[in-house]
Amino acid sequence: MSKLSSSLSSRLSGQTLAADLSYIAQPASDFAEQSSSSPSYPRTLYPPIEPNKSGHLEVGDGHNVYWEESGQGAGAPAALFLHGGPGGGCSPRSRRFFDPTHYRIVCLDQRGCGRSTPNAADDWSASIYENNTSKLVSDLEKIRVFLGIARWSIVVGGSWGSTLALAYAETHPAAMSDILLRGVFLFSPDEVDYLFQNGGTSGQNPEAWEQYTRFIEDTSDNIAAERTNFLGAYFKRLKGTDEMRKAAASAFVGYELSISKAFVDLDVIKDTLQEPGRLIPFALFEVVYMLNNGFMRRGQILDECHHIVNAGHRVSIVHGRADYVCQPKAAHQLYKALRKAGHTQVALEFVAGAGHSDTEPGLT
């Protein structure tokens, strides 16, 4: 299958490698001078802070989940941040969405990614074991109980983080009060196919889609068959040699990052592609979850939203009008489903000109 040879060690998460831009579409011209200069934000994030506490919680199945606390201590309103991906991991920036003088801020790296162990860059088979939505939801409850938090004051999630926040709220409605979602993804088959199979993104990003598919074409022994299942083709390569895994992950993640912002900064993409500990989990888990419908039954999020209504959660949804990763219609469908179920404490706002990333002006 591979036209690439293996030359890297099997342990990658601690390394920094040259960014592989072979299959990354060039950003559109920046005549508006937005990506080449600091964007203007209507609101700024809170100042950088360091964690007060951090550690690893053994959650079972061989997984140890990294967690950290910042801001206020026990007794303060607790805020939970859920990163995207799956496999994206949290960063120091994740803490800055919350007022540290008010909230007890909790961030974590979900199974198999970031500082959680095992990391997919080091041991993909162990990291993928029992890595699914219900297990991640269970991990969130274990973290809450371990930290002695009676109830999350607010749960914040974007992209895959929005999916996980909704699954958590529907499974453990008493565990939280408010929910803030950005870039909603419901895991409907049409959302998955639009993004990774049928070329739906090519309407606005034809070069990015071309590069995403060209990687498979260039490394395939049977492209006629693999065109019917690009996700399966990427998964096959993500199980391959270290060099093939990095090449496949670079093409896959680079594709998504290249359509995530209204004004794309190639340096931001390079930074991600240089860190196997971020790159490999991001690609592997996104592919695995997409292939398995998010490990949920079809329509589950919308079918179960009455649990959110019955619990009285306040739900706020913000979505970029120019989001080409998670389509705005998913946010609208969620809003309409909650309203139809009788929810009065739900708000939806589309932000003109904003893409998918949480760095987009108007989404922060």
Side-chain angles (χ1 to χ4, degrees), residues 39 50 58 115 139 247-249 251 266 281 288 309 312 329 337 340 347 349:
E50 294 299 317
E58 185 176 349
R115 289 149 291 188
D139 293 348
L266 197 57
V288 168
V309 178
K329 69 176 184 179
K340 185 175 182 180
E349 183 164 352

Side-chain angles (χ1 to χ4, degrees), residues 19-27 207-208 210-212 214-215 247-259 264-266 269-270 273 279:
D20 182 359
L21 303 177
S22 304
Y23 294 89
I24 310 303
Q26 287 298 308
E207 303 96 335
E210 182 177 69
Q211 297 293 352
Y212 168 80
R214 187 169 72 86
F215 174 76
S250 294
F252 186 87
V253 174
Y255 157 68
E256 184 167 329
L257 294 181
S258 69
I259 66 173
V264 178
D265 185 347
L266 197 57
I269 297 177
K270 288 180 181 178
L273 302 192
L279 174 65

Side-chain angles (χ1 to χ4, degrees), residues 309-326:
V309 178
N310 294 339
H313 299 139
R314 292 190 300 178
V315 182
S316 300
I317 308 166
V318 60
H319 205 114
R321 180 69 78 184
D323 189 336
Y324 301 129
V325 177
C326 297

